[in-house]
Amino acid sequence: QVQLVESGGGLVQAGGSLRLSCTASGSILSIRFMGWYRQAPGKQRELVAVINSDGVTNYAGSVKGRFSISRDNAKKSVSMQMNSLKPEDTAVYYCNVEGITTFYANYNYWGQGTQVTVSS
């Protein structure tokens, strides 16, 4: 089993910044992808940013130039710096980790979610 611990959510005014972090632990052999998704009320969950084991990143068009994702392989963690936040960024943000367990099986785990609220 893989466990994810998220931190960094909160309330911020438009134009402000937050940094989300997620640390994985458990039966992990390797991590292929680490990323963040978000879900606003009444909306589908969507990809925000993802980073693979080679450090290649992919961002939603709405956050390019404002958000930056990074990973620390030694700590098995992923962080996302969010700058110039907008009210439309308000959502529950979920950490997602995909890789291989110590039993050589694929896994895909989600964090419990952390609320990000951006006021106008």
Side-chain angles (χ1 to χ4, degrees):
Q1 188 175 7
V2 176
Q3 298 84 42
L4 304 178
V5 178
E6 303 169 319
S7 64
L11 174 64
V12 65
Q13 292 184 339
S17 299
L18 287 173
R19 185 177 180 86
L20 304 182
S21 295
C22 175
T23 300
S25 63
S27 302
I28 300 170
L29 180 64
S30 65
I31 300 174
R32 289 190 291 253
F33 298 94
M34 305 185 79
W36 292 92
Y37 292 69
R38 67 187 180 188
Q39 187 168 23
K43 300 292 191 296
Q44 297 295 116
R45 188 174 298 185
E46 65 175 354
L47 172 71
V48 180
V50 64
I51 183 169
N52 72 8
S53 57
D54 295 321
V56 178
T57 60
N58 185 251
Y59 296 91
S62 60
V63 306
K64 283 185 177 180
R66 298 189 297 121
F67 292 9
S68 180
I69 190 170
S70 61
R71 64 189 285 170
D72 185 329
N73 292 327
K75 296 180 179 179
K76 296 183 177 64
S77 68
V78 59
S79 297
M80 185 167 68
Q81 179 68 38
M82 304 185 293
N83 298 324
S84 302
L85 284 162
K86 305 175 180 179
E88 51 262 44
D89 294 319
T90 296
V92 177
Y93 284 70
Y94 297 90
C95 178
N96 177 254
V97 177
E98 187 248 295
I100 304 172
T101 71
T102 54
F103 306 104
Y104 297 94
N106 293 327
Y107 68 83
N108 191 315
Y109 279 87
W110 296 87
Q112 291 298 304
T114 184
Q115 177 70 47
V116 171
T117 302
V118 184
S119 62
S120 60

